[in-house]
Amino acid sequence: DVVAPVVEAINRRGAYPLYIVSDSGVETRTIDKVRAVDGRNLEAAADILAGADIASTAVGLHALPHIAPVIAAAVVKRFGDGDAPPLDILLCENLKQGEAHMRALVARHLPPELHQRLESSVGFVEASIGRMVPVMTAEQRAEDILAVWVEPYCELPVDAQGFRGPIPRLQNLKPAGNFAAYVERKLFVHNLTHATAAYLGYQRGYAFIYEAIRDDAVRARVEAAGGETCAALAKKYGSDPETLHAHLQDLIHRYHNRALADQIARVARDPIRKLGPEDRIIGAMRLCLSQGIQPRAVARAAAAALAYDNGADETANELQALLRNGGVDAVLNNICRVPVDSVEAAMIKDAVKSLEKETKEL
């Protein structure tokens, strides 16, 4: 970690508490045999990584370039002077084409003679992150800087073809051969419906996801958006429609978790990224249209994202400024990369008008 008090506390205590929360109560576990290193100390971090059996990242897209030099230094230490077993690194980043992205980042920091070794002996294994972890409140952080709060759901699908060494037998690790289907299911069912609940919930004045999903009107639109993308994924990948529908219903059930206290501001933040051409909303519309499905409910989610005007969110402020200066067409052109005369644009504009009318009536 790069937060010095967290590193100090982990090394002093050698453990941290994990709180698994649901409406039926809180289960407390202690994760022990833990130590930390300051990620800003490249040599120390690279030493630890070079000797690892398996590793993972969970830092976010924007931080990946900052950890690439550490990974490169570890590759030099592990493979520079002789033979060593492969090193597989799970990319827990919700990043499409993350393997190629991370490999390229690391290669920039390696001498050319190690590029082939990077390719043959270092696996960047994409993962599909589904477990919801809310932002801790100031009170929770003050009580224990190391505490982690999570929902009960605990599965980690990974790309079975991304490993360079043997696939490890780890509890709840789910290696999948058809990983592209998992990636798109995560982005266009989980991420999409989560964002839909957040943006529609914000319009109705809610602060938490569990409040939004308990509103019948919000839930119906969340289900409709997820239903459109499930139908599209079933056609694209030949997936079982009933299994996809069951997954959607399980997600909606999980959104009801009052004890998790998942904030709408957390789920809705950075609407500019979420309205990107390949991301959860516009990407979902394009998926549906490519499979002959009309994504009208997903367009409603796009309209709600356009209306997200949370003044505490920097990118929401940028989005609203663009809307004021150039209207919906400016957002479609510059953020969504959607031609203003396209089917997607027409659906989104219709949904914007409908949402504006509904908001006035609330």
Side-chain angles (χ1 to χ4, degrees):
D1 209 310
V2 295
V3 180
V6 170
V7 173
E8 187 277 330
I10 286 178
N11 287 330
R12 174 168 43 83
R13 290 157 53 178
Y16 64 88
L18 179 71
Y19 299 109
I20 304 172
V21 296
S22 68
D23 288 347
S24 57
V26 179
E27 177 187 351
T28 304
R29 296 184 183 177
T30 297
I31 310 301
D32 60 7
K33 301 181 178 66
V34 179
R35 60 193 173 106
V37 64
D38 192 320
R40 295 168 298 185
N41 185 334
L42 187 145
E43 282 298 313
D47 281 341
I48 296 294
L49 182 56
D53 294 316
I54 193 166
S56 70
T57 74
V59 297
L61 173 63
H62 300 303
L64 290 176
H66 299 293
I67 67 170
V70 175
I71 297 174
V75 170
V76 172
K77 290 175 180 290
R78 188 178 180 103
F79 301 111
D81 295 328
D83 200 17
L87 174 63
D88 288 309
I89 303 173
L90 308 182
L91 301 177
C92 302
E93 304 295 348
N94 279 331
L95 176 66
K96 288 186 73 175
Q97 299 180 327
E99 190 272 346
H101 179 72
M102 196 71 234
R103 192 173 296 282
L105 287 177
V106 173
R108 294 174 193 167
H109 300 277
L110 282 175
E113 60 268 22
L114 280 176
H115 283 191
Q116 181 55 44
R117 196 60 188 268
L118 177 70
E119 176 64 35
S120 64
S121 298
V122 181
F124 293 104
V125 183
E126 295 184 38
S128 178
I129 312 302
R131 198 175 204 182
M132 290 182 282
V133 182
V135 175
M136 291 176 62
T137 65
E139 293 78 10
Q140 289 171 330
R141 286 195 298 271
E143 183 176 338
D144 189 344
I145 195 174
L146 297 184
V148 178
W149 300 75
V150 298
E151 65 168 335
Y153 176 87
C154 186
E155 287 189 1
L156 186 64
V158 296
D159 183 3
Q161 299 179 20
F163 289 89
R164 293 298 187 265
I167 298 177
R169 296 173 60 87
L170 297 175
Q171 187 175 0
N172 299 319
L173 190 75
K174 306 291 183 183
N178 59 334
F179 192 66
Y182 274 94
V183 171
E184 294 207 351
R185 189 187 77 169
K186 172 58 171 56
L187 187 60
F188 299 138
V189 182
H190 187 169
N191 291 146
L192 168 72
T193 56
H194 211 189
T196 302
Y199 291 126
L200 291 173
Y202 177 82
Q203 293 302 309
R204 290 175 171 259
Y206 299 122
F208 297 99
I209 294 295
Y210 74 80
E211 295 174 323
I213 204 64
R214 291 165 193 256
D215 182 313
D216 290 343
V218 173
R219 174 172 177 157
R221 285 169 177 158
V222 170
E223 284 188 302
E228 290 170 354
T229 55
C230 282
L233 289 170
K235 290 185 70 174
K236 180 175 181 178
Y237 291 104
S239 307
D240 177 37
E242 291 187 5
T243 300
L244 284 166
H245 180 73
H247 175 66
L248 172 61
Q249 292 304 313
D250 179 62
L251 286 169
I252 290 172
H253 171 74
R254 288 160 57 194
Y255 298 158
H256 280 73
N257 188 341
R258 185 190 304 265
L260 193 64
D262 202 5
Q263 304 97 330
I264 280 177
R266 181 193 77 83
V267 181
R269 70 186 173 197
D270 197 359
I272 288 179
R273 177 171 62 87
K274 292 179 170 69
L275 283 165
E278 305 297 330
D279 213 282
R280 63 210 67 195
I281 298 174
I282 304 304
M285 291 189 72
R286 289 174 167 164
L287 165 70
C288 289
L289 289 169
S290 74
Q291 301 303 314
I293 293 164
Q294 298 296 302
R296 301 196 183 279
V298 181
R300 186 65 174 231
L306 285 169
Y308 185 63
D309 59 358
N310 182 352
D313 187 314
E314 182 179 345
T315 60
N317 292 331
E318 294 176 20
L319 175 64
Q320 295 308 309
L322 185 59
L323 275 171
R324 286 191 299 272
N325 294 327
V328 174
D329 283 353
V331 176
L332 294 176
N333 268 323
N334 297 302
I335 295 175
C336 305
R337 305 295 180 187
V338 170
V340 295
D341 58 351
S342 64
V343 174
E344 299 101 304
M347 286 186 177
I348 292 170
K349 290 178 181 180
D350 286 345
V352 166
K353 293 177 182 177
S354 178
L355 182 63
E356 287 175 347
K357 179 181 178 182
E358 180 181 298
T359 302
K360 290 177 182 178
E361 295 172 353
L362 285 176

